[in-house]
Amino acid sequence: MTYWLAISNRENSDVSIQKNIWGVPKRYINTIQRVKPGDTICMYVGQKTVDKEILPPAITSVFEVISPMYEDSSAIFTSPPKLGNEVFPLRVKLKPAKIFKKPIEFKPLIPKLQFITNKKMWSGHIRGQAMREIPENDFQTIMSAAENE
């Protein structure tokens, strides 16, 4: 089993939670082809300002992957402005393992996460990617933080 950090925005995290689907652009085919049924996906969302309130980067949910990658161009995801009409057609079906009522703040986890080697410039380990593999220890760190909420 492999653990993944899916890098998203809050709108698309909500789509994944509602429809039990995760999708990425075609340029990430080499990454999503490595995702297999039984793998675990932690949904990361970046910082967002809503009505002058800053919502911090967070983990919103955890899923089990239940399908191999498939292609579907139906427009269910919201494309960020810089990606134009991207539909995130390379997809996997998901089964919810844990949907956090209160998302787990990401920044307090950074000192404990092994995959983030540069703790000061941590966003470089996430920015520009649709998803990345994380060690099992990092998954356990995320789940431990959820238990302490």
Side-chain angles (χ1 to χ4, degrees), residues 119-137:
K119 307 298 185 187
K120 286 188 165 95
M121 303 293 282
W122 64 271
S123 65
H125 296 277
I126 294 171
R127 189 179 310 120
Q129 300 182 69
M131 57 193 313
R132 66 163 300 152
E133 189 174 340
I134 62 172
E136 182 177 359
N137 288 350

Side-chain angles (χ1 to χ4, degrees), residues 40-103:
T40 298
I41 289 181
C42 297
M43 190 68 60
Y44 166 92
V45 296
Q47 180 172 298
K48 181 179 180 177
T49 303
V50 177
D51 298 327
K52 296 184 182 177
E53 178 188 358
I54 297 174
L55 302 175
I59 304 292
T60 60
S61 47
V62 177
F63 296 94
E64 177 187 344
V65 177
I66 59 169
S67 79
M69 185 206 78
Y70 65 97
E71 195 163 339
D72 180 351
S73 294
S74 57
I76 61 172
F77 295 104
T78 301
S79 180
K82 66 183 179 193
L83 293 182
N85 294 325
E86 179 62 62
V87 295
F88 308 99
L90 303 179
R91 301 178 181 177
V92 291
K93 293 182 182 175
L94 306 172
K95 180 173 89 175
K98 185 78 176 160
I99 309 299
F100 303 118
K101 289 184 175 104
K102 181 179 179 224

